[in-house]
Amino acid sequence: MALFGNAHTIDPATAQQDYARLLGQGEQVHAAFLLIRDTILFTDRRLILVDKQGITGKKVEYHSVPYRSITHFAVETAGTFDLDAELKIWISGNATPLQKTFTKGVDIYEVQAILTQFVAR
């Protein structure tokens, strides 16, 4: 599932309220990013990808990835000419990684630290 465009940070408390219906009892959003119309949520239990579809965006697909399903991940920092950072996540049973692009304003090291905290349990 490739999402195109650049992400920026959303306040986790706002994401917690906006997506409360998706969350299990006691599940907490630790970080969230907006990617044009789509959203990436890092909770204490899983990674949630919110994919708004169609012209109006009324149809929405919610893709949930338990951290235990992530086999490995990679980050690529922004450079001098390439101003975007990239995140690649490999999920067990799938040879092609999920790829996300973040603007230079997003701390890709923070994204890596969040994944490390939950994937390396």
Side-chain angles (χ1 to χ4, degrees):
M1 174 187 306
L3 299 175
F4 300 100
N6 295 325
H8 66 273
T9 305
I10 301 172
D11 176 51
T14 300
Q16 182 83 28
Q17 290 177 344
D18 291 348
Y19 295 100
R21 294 177 59 192
L22 294 178
L23 304 174
Q25 185 175 358
E27 186 172 12
Q28 295 293 310
V29 175
H30 285 265
F33 300 92
L34 181 65
L35 182 59
I36 301 179
R37 297 187 318 170
D38 301 333
T39 305
I40 303 167
L41 304 173
F42 293 90
T43 77
D44 56 345
R45 300 179 189 171
R46 60 196 164 131
L47 175 66
I48 302 172
L49 306 172
V50 181
D51 181 12
K52 292 189 177 180
Q53 301 174 353
I55 295 171
T56 63
K58 288 186 179 186
K59 182 176 180 180
V60 181
E61 178 181 40
Y62 301 98
H63 189 86
S64 179
V65 180
Y67 292 119
R68 68 180 176 275
S69 298
I70 298 173
T71 59
H72 65 285
F73 59 90
V75 295
E76 180 180 299
T77 62
T80 303
F81 298 106
D82 181 7
L83 301 179
D84 299 326
E86 293 183 8
L87 169 66
K88 294 179 185 177
I89 300 171
W90 283 265
I91 299 170
S92 60
N94 193 350
T96 306
L98 295 172
Q99 295 185 32
K100 308 296 173 215
T101 302
F102 296 82
T103 60
K104 194 171 185 175
V106 171
D107 183 358
I108 196 68
Y109 296 107
E110 176 187 1
V111 174
Q112 178 176 291
I114 292 166
L115 278 170
T116 300
Q117 177 184 354
F118 295 119
V119 173
R121 286 183 180 182

